[in-house]
Amino acid sequence: MMRNKTPQTQANMQLIQKMARADARAVLKQLKTSSDGLSPAEAETRLKHYGPNRVAEKKSNTKLRFLAEAFLTPFTFVLLLLATISLFTNYLLVPADQKDLSTVIIMLTMVLISGLTSFVQNVRTSSAVEDLLKMVSVTTNIKRGGTSKERPTTAVVPGDIISVAAGDIVPADMRLLSAKDLFCSASSLNGESRPAEKIASPLASDADTASYLDYQNILYEGTTIVSGTGIGVVFATGSQTVFGRLAQKIAETDLKSTSFDTGIKNISKLLLTMTAIIAPLVFVINAVTKGNWLNALLFAIATAVGLTPEMLPVIVTSNLVKGSVEMSKHGTIVKKMNSIQNFGAADVLCTDKTGTLTEDRVGLERHYNLDLEETNQILQLSYLNSFYQTGLKNLMDRAIIKVAQRNLDTKQIQREYTKVDEIPFDFKRRKMSVVVAKQSGERILITKGAAEEMLASSNRVETGGQIKALTPERKDKILDQIQQLNEHGLRVVLLAYQKNPAEAGEFSTADEKNLILTGFLAFLDPPKISAGKTLAQLKADGITVKILTGDNAAVTKNVAGKVGLNTAKIYTGQDFAGKTKAEKLKMVEDSDLFVKLSPELKAEIISLLQENKHTVAYMGDGINDAPAMKTADVAISVDTAVDIAKQSADIILLKKDLSVLENGVRIGRQVFGNTMKYIKITLSSNFGNILSILVASSFLPFLPMQPTQLLVLDLLYGTSCLAIPFDVMDKQYLAIPRKWETKKLPKFMFYFGPTSSIFDILTFAILYFFVCPQVVGASYAAASASQKALFTTVFCAGWFVESLWTQEMVIQALRDPRLPFIHQHAAKPVMLATIGAAIIGTCFPFVKGIASALQFGPLPLYFVLIVMGLLVLYILLTTVVKKWYLQSEEFLI
């Protein structure tokens, strides 16, 4: 990982070795701190010196950067290029009486409008994201001035004393000062999934200093505490940590690329290809037919700009921020903006049943011995196991402790038994153990876990007050008893023990053998009342819910049946063993219930679903969910989840309820729909304009529109499109998942682009043969040089007005399959923006100063009425083409 060590890296390695070798007192002295932590004043000073505890960020979202990005665009460069050329041709290189800066001023105004619009939107987006993320923050237990308190992880500085426990993500590089049964997973750094034990002792002098990631007394940022507790002192934060330096190298390349991201890239390729073909063609045609190479070049550049939807970045970010704010109102916080589209595209939702389908309030219903009698002995043993284990206490542990505190003298039990050691839970063994000692010195290993694993580790049973061998018959009887309890919706774990297992300090998973099975612990987590209705709605929305759980088949089937899921076929983790890839791909489609799964198998099932062309969302809140969340297209967690789950999440729910998800999915589809609406409509409209330009360039003896006029037209249309994020999608559109399909864009363009070109060509004919000759007093062929110049300016003004109205009306016509203004209409902001932009543009030829600057001729008022008539015909023809298009396509947008 770090073979090529820079001087800075070498120095950091030396610091880690120094921290590992020194004893606790020397470490505290070197870092100028104490076991009581830094004083608040000193912590503040160090925070200013070292900066916030953040790893490498792609870019700092400063207003200066947003300002630069807003103005440094291809569109702006073209405008500035044209403005510069206009400055020379219209001002610097002409006689004093002909100097005119109006064109330059208008172009610079366009640059300001375009740039400032983009700047304001980006600043709003950044602020909205930051405000939303403040609602979900990861905190760290920091001790300062002798007082421990949860503080933001970004506030951690070198010298801070940090406490960690199961489920925590280590916030910075730390030297352990004390540890209690501490196990840590460093898979984010070394790829090793098995937890490693950590101790606070100094590194031995003869230890291997090359494998610094394996130092037992060092905790590295980004690693996860699996079980136990520890206290450490921070010696590196932010980009100075091992994880931070790695993050600097990869520069966030681990961010998931959504299908929408891929689609945007494909759009860019399509546009580049079209531009590379069309712009040179327009240049050559106009240069050859008109003879003015400079004007032909400027016109070709403007044409290329007109082909590009330059407002796309602004509209995409507007859509995303509007969607994220709307989702926050429904208790859904978007951590990663680019996940919103995938949220709307998801057609499979995978989740554990706990808390999503159930009430998430597990209760201990039965604590039976093997004779199915409730006894305090079983409750006491289970209490010792749950109370003294230092891993992440799950709902079952809390339920056991709660019942024990109600029925037993737990204070007396704690006095009689002291903890000796523990063997943490992991998802391969599916059990955990603690070792306790009586006052007499007798030690007892107490283990609880999943039935199959517990039976495999036991050789005796305690029944009828006697210890007997675990025969096949007794094993079958225990399994039958568990099955009966499962069928009543009770989740069962087995309890076992062993007396005087091994010498203190030598306990390991190898000691979990030859156990004595002694009882059943049966838990109930009832289904949510609302779950059935929500699942039915998700199904109606085209989303298949699949349960991926570590629980057994009987309990899962009981819960799933009560909420209306298909329980006809259930697969266990064991069913996947030895299967071919093709068989696995079929299995994940055949069933909606998968039980007794390891974290790795959950992730594999999601990968298989993705290979079957599904967009998969996964909802999880535990350490065991992290692999699946990282694999899913959309990772969803809850605000009460462990740190590792919240860090892996794209979206965080403030309430663990599927109904919240259902609202979020529809908002995601709304965001996707409005973005696709802009892309499809703009591409088809621009494609129609290009066809019209090619026709006009080939047959007209002059340019159909001046380069500046083309750019003004493009800016007016693009600015009006900024209202599209405020439009609404019809209920039918929101009812099913939507996925990006670039391959259908050319077909859409070829259907609706030529439709607008038909009316452009009609306009050309009306202007060339009727309107312009009437204004000028002669046909173009018979006109004088001055009359031809006037003829050209009137023609440009006429096509400008007609083209602007058709472009604005295409938004109304193509946003919905139905007839616009009668059977469907856009939201008020879109109506005002589109019609308003068209009216403003129509006024340009009639306002003397603007008309002069843009070189518009005197357009007769009756031509506006002609345009209105053409618009009616255009809308009717577009409606017919829509029906034609929908005969072979399922959706318009």
Side-chain angles (χ1 to χ4, degrees):
M1 184 187 302
M2 295 183 183
R3 290 179 209 154
N4 301 323
K5 294 179 182 173
T6 64
Q8 180 185 1
T9 303
Q10 186 66 46
N12 287 330
M13 293 303 100
Q14 292 173 355
L15 174 62
I16 293 171
Q17 291 174 13
K18 193 171 184 179
M19 292 291 108
R21 289 189 183 282
D23 60 28
R25 184 174 296 180
V27 168
L28 292 172
K29 184 177 180 181
Q30 181 177 344
L31 295 171
K32 297 180 181 178
T33 186
S34 71
S35 58
D36 286 333
L38 302 169
S39 67
E42 177 62 19
E44 188 65 31
T45 300
R46 294 194 185 191
L47 184 61
K48 291 177 181 177
H49 176 73
Y50 292 103
N53 179 35
R54 295 191 183 100
V55 297
E57 295 179 340
K58 213 166 189 180
K59 291 178 181 175
S60 57
N61 292 331
T62 63
K63 289 185 179 180
L64 185 61
R65 179 177 72 82
F66 286 138
L67 192 64
E69 288 183 348
F71 284 94
L72 299 178
T73 66
F75 185 63
T76 304
F77 284 138
V78 171
L79 282 174
L80 292 176
L81 173 63
L82 293 174
T84 303
I85 293 172
S86 180
L87 178 65
F88 280 93
T89 58
N90 292 341
Y91 189 81
L92 296 177
L93 302 179
V94 297
D97 61 335
Q98 297 180 21
K99 291 182 183 293
D100 183 10
L101 278 176
S102 58
T103 303
V104 176
I105 292 170
I106 287 177
M107 289 187 183
L108 293 178
T109 302
M110 291 167 59
V111 170
L112 284 174
I113 292 173
S114 175
L116 288 176
T117 302
S118 180
F119 170 70
V120 170
Q121 189 57 57
N122 281 334
V123 170
R124 286 180 175 176
T125 299
S126 178
S127 300
V129 173
E130 289 175 5
D131 289 343
L132 290 174
L133 289 180
K134 285 177 184 176
M135 299 175 69
V136 182
S137 59
V138 177
T139 59
T140 298
N141 189 301
I142 307 175
K143 189 176 186 181
R144 289 177 181 166
T147 304
S148 294
K149 181 182 176 182
E150 289 289 328
R151 292 178 169 88
T153 300
T154 53
V156 173
V157 295
D160 268 331
I161 304 299
I162 304 290
S163 297
V164 292
D168 289 345
I169 296 176
V170 178
D173 288 355
M174 298 164 47
R175 163 66 157 84
L176 278 172
L177 302 176
S178 65
K180 183 70 172 174
D181 303 314
L182 187 64
F183 284 79
C184 178
S185 170
S187 59
S188 59
L189 292 176
N190 61 13
E192 175 58 54
S193 59
R194 183 172 289 277
E197 186 170 12
K198 296 290 184 177
I199 59 175
S201 305
L203 187 69
S205 58
D206 59 347
D208 179 9
T209 57
S211 55
Y212 64 92
L213 291 178
D214 296 329
Y215 292 173
Q216 284 191 301
N217 57 4
I218 301 292
L219 295 179
Y220 295 103
E221 178 178 9
T223 57
T224 308
I225 306 301
V226 176
S227 63
T229 58
I231 298 174
V233 59
V234 174
F235 62 83
T237 60
S239 297
Q240 296 303 308
T241 64
V242 171
F243 184 81
R245 290 195 302 278
L246 179 62
Q248 280 182 319
K249 287 185 177 183
I250 63 176
E252 296 185 9
T253 53
D254 61 330
L255 286 178
K256 284 179 277 193
S257 178
T258 68
S259 59
F260 193 85
D261 297 328
T262 305
I264 292 294
K265 290 177 183 176
N266 291 336
I267 278 286
S268 301
K269 292 177 183 177
L270 177 64
L271 289 171
L272 286 172
T273 303
M274 290 179 63
T275 303
I277 296 171
I278 299 296
L281 189 59
V282 169
F283 169 67
V284 171
I285 291 173
N286 282 294
V288 171
T289 58
K290 280 74 174 177
N292 190 325
W293 291 82
L294 178 60
N295 279 348
L297 176 62
L298 295 177
F299 186 74
I301 292 173
T303 300
V305 174
L307 187 62
T308 306
E310 66 280 346
M311 293 296 182
L312 179 60
V314 181
I315 287 174
V316 168
T317 52
S318 297
N319 263 315
L320 292 177
V321 72
K322 185 176 183 298
S324 63
V325 171
E326 187 65 28
M327 288 169 76
S328 71
K329 295 177 183 177
H330 295 275
T332 306
I333 307 303
V334 180
K335 264 184 69 183
K336 299 171 186 174
M337 282 288 187
N338 67 344
S339 66
I340 292 181
Q341 294 95 342
N342 268 3
F343 199 27
D347 59 341
V348 174
L349 171 64
C350 296
T351 181
D352 194 324
K353 63 180 177 55
T354 305
T356 50
L357 302 181
T358 60
E359 292 289 352
D360 205 17
R361 43 182 181 81
V362 174
L364 178 62
E365 296 294 310
R366 303 284 187 270
H367 43 93
Y368 285 145
N369 61 19
L370 295 184
D371 299 315
L372 296 184
E373 300 168 338
E374 286 201 337
T375 68
N376 284 343
Q377 179 193 358
I378 300 299
L379 185 57
Q380 178 172 306
L381 286 173
S382 63
Y383 172 76
L384 287 169
N385 177 280
S386 293
F387 179 78
Y388 279 123
Q389 69 106 346
T390 58
L392 191 67
K393 283 185 170 57
N394 59 29
L395 294 173
M396 289 190 291
D397 288 310
R398 296 192 188 108
I400 290 169
I401 292 170
K402 183 178 180 180
V403 172
Q405 288 173 337
R406 193 167 60 235
N407 294 280
L408 303 174
D409 185 350
T410 54
K411 297 294 183 183
Q412 179 62 29
I413 293 173
Q414 292 173 39
R415 287 191 290 270
E416 291 178 359
Y417 293 88
T418 57
K419 180 182 174 183
V420 177
D421 207 343
E422 74 175 288
I423 307 168
F425 179 88
D426 68 56
F427 296 97
K428 287 184 170 43
R429 292 168 33 250
R430 291 163 55 84
K431 55 181 175 285
M432 69 81 50
S433 302
V434 298
V435 181
V436 294
K438 289 184 176 181
Q439 292 177 341
S440 62
E442 181 185 38
R443 285 174 288 106
I444 306 173
L445 181 143
I446 307 168
T447 305
K448 72 172 186 290
E452 291 84 350
E453 286 75 5
M454 291 292 290
L455 286 166
S457 300
S458 304
N459 64 355
R460 289 163 292 168
V461 295
E462 185 174 23
T463 177
Q466 297 179 325
I467 307 297
K468 302 176 181 178
L470 178 58
T471 62
E473 293 75 21
R474 291 191 176 107
K475 181 178 180 179
D476 290 341
K477 182 181 178 182
I478 290 171
L479 290 172
D480 287 342
Q481 291 169 324
I482 292 173
Q483 181 69 23
Q484 291 173 23
L485 293 168
N486 287 162
E487 287 173 356
H488 286 87
L490 295 171
R491 181 178 181 181
V492 179
V493 299
L494 288 178
L495 188 68
Y497 70 92
Q498 181 188 153
K499 294 185 177 180
N500 298 314
E503 292 300 319
E506 297 179 5
F507 298 109
S508 69
T509 56
D511 293 298
E512 294 175 327
K513 62 183 180 181
N514 300 326
L515 301 177
I516 303 170
L517 283 174
T518 186
F520 305 99
L521 300 172
F523 302 87
L524 179 65
D525 186 10
K528 280 190 173 113
I529 297 174
S530 63
K533 181 180 178 182
T534 305
L535 287 171
Q537 184 59 57
L538 285 170
K539 185 176 181 180
D541 287 342
I543 297 175
T544 301
V545 177
K546 292 182 182 287
I547 305 301
L548 276 57
T549 180
D551 211 341
N552 64 50
V555 174
T556 305
K557 185 175 182 178
N558 180 278
V559 173
K562 288 179 179 178
V563 297
L565 286 177
N566 181 8
T567 61
K569 185 170 289 188
I570 302 177
Y571 286 120
T572 68
Q574 190 61 37
D575 291 332
F576 283 85
K579 294 292 191 296
T580 65
K581 184 70 167 289
E583 288 172 328
K584 290 179 179 179
L585 289 170
K586 186 175 185 300
M587 289 169 70
V588 298
E589 296 293 336
D590 290 346
S591 175
D592 294 336
L593 302 181
F594 302 88
V595 300
K596 297 188 74 63
L597 301 179
S598 67
E600 292 76 19
L601 192 48
K602 287 183 181 181
E604 184 184 351
I605 289 173
I606 290 172
S607 294
L608 291 166
L609 287 166
Q610 290 168 332
E611 287 189 48
N612 284 341
K613 306 303 180 184
H614 292 291
T615 301
V616 184
Y618 183 86
M619 183 173 176
D621 63 355
I623 297 175
N624 60 320
D625 293 312
M629 292 174 72
K630 289 179 180 178
T631 304
D633 297 294
V634 186
I636 305 163
S637 191
V638 290
D639 193 31
T640 54
V642 297
D643 288 351
I644 184 64
K646 285 194 284 188
Q647 187 186 63
S648 302
D650 302 309
I651 291 170
I652 295 180
L653 308 182
L654 299 181
K655 181 183 178 183
K656 194 173 183 181
D657 195 326
L658 286 177
S659 62
V660 178
L661 275 183
E662 202 270 329
N663 287 324
V665 164
R666 287 182 165 260
I667 293 170
R669 292 175 185 175
Q670 174 90 11
V671 168
F672 181 83
N674 280 333
T675 305
M676 288 302 300
K677 189 183 298 178
Y678 170 75
I679 291 172
K680 280 191 167 185
I681 290 173
T682 301
L683 284 178
S684 62
S685 176
N686 287 350
F687 180 62
N689 281 342
I690 297 307
L691 292 177
S692 302
I693 287 170
L694 288 173
V695 171
S697 298
S698 301
F699 295 101
L700 290 175
F702 50 82
L703 291 176
M705 204 181 293
Q706 296 301 312
T708 305
Q709 296 164 355
L710 259 182
L711 290 170
V712 171
L713 175 67
D714 192 46
L715 183 64
L716 276 171
Y717 172 73
T719 304
S720 68
C721 286
L722 293 174
I724 286 179
F726 298 92
D727 201 7
V728 293
M729 304 301 299
D730 63 66
K731 292 181 180 179
Q732 184 182 359
Y733 186 92
L734 300 177
I736 61 172
R738 300 287 173 165
K739 296 184 181 181
W740 180 278
E741 291 183 310
T742 310
K743 62 183 181 181
K744 293 188 177 181
L745 287 177
K747 182 177 180 179
F748 191 90
M749 291 167 58
F750 287 127
Y751 267 78
F752 296 103
T755 305
S756 63
S757 294
I758 291 171
F759 290 91
D760 284 338
I761 294 168
L762 273 175
T763 303
F764 294 160
I766 293 169
L767 286 167
Y768 191 83
F769 293 109
F770 300 104
V771 177
C772 292
Q774 187 268 326
V775 173
V776 172
S779 67
Y780 188 83
S784 65
S786 60
Q787 286 177 319
K788 285 183 178 180
L790 179 61
F791 193 105
T792 302
T793 58
V794 173
F795 186 97
C796 291
W799 189 39
F800 178 92
V801 171
E802 184 271 344
S803 183
L804 179 59
W805 273 101
T806 54
Q807 280 191 287
E808 298 295 356
M809 286 305 102
V810 78
I811 295 175
Q812 306 289 339
L814 295 184
R815 62 175 296 278
D816 188 284
R818 296 167 292 177
L819 185 67
F821 303 113
I822 297 176
H823 298 141
Q824 58 92 3
H825 62 82
K828 282 185 179 179
V830 180
M831 296 280 284
L832 291 172
T834 53
I835 296 175
I839 292 172
I840 290 170
T842 303
C843 294
F844 285 178
F846 301 98
V847 179
K848 189 174 182 181
I850 297 176
S852 175
L854 292 176
Q855 300 177 32
F856 284 142
L859 195 66
L861 275 172
Y862 69 78
F863 180 74
V864 177
L865 296 177
I866 293 173
V867 169
M868 294 300 109
L870 289 173
L871 281 180
V872 173
L873 295 175
Y874 171 67
I875 289 172
L876 292 174
L877 180 60
T878 303
T879 303
V880 172
V881 175
K882 282 191 292 188
K883 291 184 178 179
W884 184 25
Y885 177 81
L886 289 171
Q887 286 178 359
S888 58
E889 293 294 334
E890 190 175 358
F891 307 109
L892 183 65
I893 297 298

